[in-house]
Amino acid sequence: MKKILVTTDLSNNSKTAVRFAIQLASQAPYELTFYHADTSFIIDPYAAVTFVDIPPTDNKVQQKELIKFVNTLYKQTGKVPGKINFIAESRLDVSSAVIDCAAKIKADYICIGTRGGGLINKLLGSHASRILSESPVPIFVVPRYYRVKPLKSILYPSDIENFPHEIQLVKKFSALFDAAISVYHYDYFSNEKQIKNKLNDIERKFQSEKITFYFKKLSTENSLLKNLQIDIIITKPSIIIMFTKEDRTWFEQLLQSVKTAEKGFDTRTPMLVYRKE
């Protein structure tokens, strides 16, 4: 059984990530661990108190609040809890706390929510941005305006580098939901013979009843990111799966390219972000 660490600060903005994880676990055998890092104990660093003087924090209250928060969302979604766990702890650094907890429970994924609107830190929050950059495991990124629905389709934008490895990961994930996979590749030189032959070979080898390919030629008028945004809006996938380099630059550019709260970009589709190998 795969494990998902679902982060929440018990705010309204974090409800979408919890709802998304609940939906996934209703469709596939996922064990969910709901995690809350409490920072309310943080003191003024210039005060005449040392951290050595701080007594151990009792997290029973935060634990009860976390359980109440999650159980309320289960009732609202009408889903029956499967194997779930709750962890509440006091930590100074939320980003490190989430990554440490994921390692401790051997999570296969981390699930975080976005705030919506603006640049990357404003969109995700500074903690989520760090988690996205530093996490050794794939991350579900759930937009603020996500609405619960069954996972049926996957949009996988690919640069075709290391495609055999990446498509296997996408297929393993999609198999849990019997979801269709749409592979999109954008290239300025897709009509050149060598590149066209390479793309056709990949399509012949991997196309199936569940996998469809779309090769699109880029123009100077529309960037890769703009084309992707348009296709997301048109196709309305259940989830987008991305493979990004270590610094997540491509992913950040996608989120920064448009003011997300405004028209022109879909703000309801969750993403599953893998680190490129």
Side-chain angles (χ1 to χ4, degrees):
M1 179 177 285
K2 295 286 187 180
K3 297 180 180 180
I4 305 177
L5 181 67
V6 188
T7 65
T8 175
D9 61 5
L10 309 184
S11 69
N12 285 332
N13 284 344
S14 67
K15 287 181 179 180
T16 54
V18 176
R19 291 191 185 105
F20 173 76
I22 289 173
Q23 176 61 41
L24 286 189
S26 73
Q27 291 186 251
Y30 285 113
E31 177 181 341
L32 305 181
T33 296
F34 298 98
Y35 178 79
H36 172 56
D38 177 45
T39 59
S40 61
F41 73 99
I42 294 177
I43 62 171
D44 181 352
Y46 298 103
V49 181
T50 66
F51 288 109
V52 177
D53 300 323
I54 301 175
T57 307
D58 185 353
N59 294 118
K60 290 181 181 178
V61 174
Q62 286 78 16
Q63 184 92 353
K64 287 181 180 179
E65 288 298 315
L66 174 61
I67 294 172
K68 180 181 177 181
F69 181 83
V70 172
N71 284 340
T72 298
L73 292 177
Y74 264 105
K75 289 179 182 178
Q76 290 176 355
T77 58
K79 307 295 184 185
V80 178
K83 189 170 184 181
I84 61 175
N85 311 288
F86 300 93
I87 299 176
E89 58 181 358
S90 297
R91 291 286 294 267
L92 286 171
D93 187 334
V94 175
S95 308
S96 297
V98 170
I99 293 173
D100 290 346
C101 186
K104 184 177 180 180
I105 70 170
K106 298 181 180 178
D108 298 284
Y109 305 94
I110 295 173
C111 182
I112 59 178
T114 69
R115 293 179 179 177
L119 297 179
I120 184 75
N121 282 345
K122 185 179 178 183
L123 176 65
L124 292 175
S126 57
H127 294 310
S129 298
R130 273 194 58 197
I131 295 167
L132 187 68
S133 298
E134 299 175 11
S135 172
V137 299
I139 298 179
F140 291 107
V141 181
V142 187
R144 179 180 180 182
Y145 301 105
Y146 166 76
R147 294 293 179 266
V148 175
K149 62 180 180 179
L151 197 155
K152 297 180 179 180
S153 60
I154 297 169
L155 190 152
Y156 163 37
S158 174
D159 60 7
I160 305 299
E161 294 178 14
N162 204 16
F163 185 82
H165 170 70
E166 292 181 2
I167 192 62
Q168 290 306 316
L169 293 175
V170 177
K171 286 171 64 177
K172 284 182 180 179
F173 177 79
S174 69
L176 295 171
F177 306 91
D178 193 29
I181 303 169
S182 297
V183 182
Y184 280 77
H185 175 70
Y186 306 90
D187 200 313
Y188 287 104
F189 309 102
S190 58
N191 289 336
E192 292 189 4
K193 185 176 180 180
Q194 185 176 358
I195 294 176
K196 192 172 184 178
N197 288 340
K198 178 182 178 180
L199 297 177
N200 289 338
D201 286 343
I202 289 174
E203 183 175 13
R204 279 193 296 269
K205 185 174 182 180
F206 294 99
Q207 189 170 26
S208 68
E209 183 180 341
K210 287 291 184 180
I211 303 177
T212 307
F213 287 82
Y214 300 90
F215 301 132
K216 298 201 168 184
K217 189 177 187 305
L218 292 177
S219 65
T220 54
E221 289 79 19
N222 286 329
S223 67
L224 182 155
L225 297 174
K226 184 63 176 177
N227 275 276
L228 177 57
Q229 290 159 15
I230 292 170
D231 287 328
I232 291 170
I233 293 169
I234 292 173
T235 61
K236 295 181 173 60
S238 304
I239 192 169
I240 303 161
I241 296 184
M242 293 182 169
F243 291 80
T244 69
K245 294 182 179 178
E246 187 171 351
D247 62 2
R248 302 296 207 269
T249 302
W250 195 80
F251 179 73
E252 291 186 8
Q253 287 176 354
L254 172 63
L255 295 179
Q256 289 176 339
S257 60
V258 183
K259 289 182 179 179
T260 311
E262 297 178 359
K263 63 181 181 179
F265 185 70
D266 172 51
T267 59
R268 299 175 183 269
T269 308
M271 301 183 188
L272 173 54
V273 185
Y274 288 86
R275 187 185 296 275
K276 260 191 175 296
E277 294 186 0

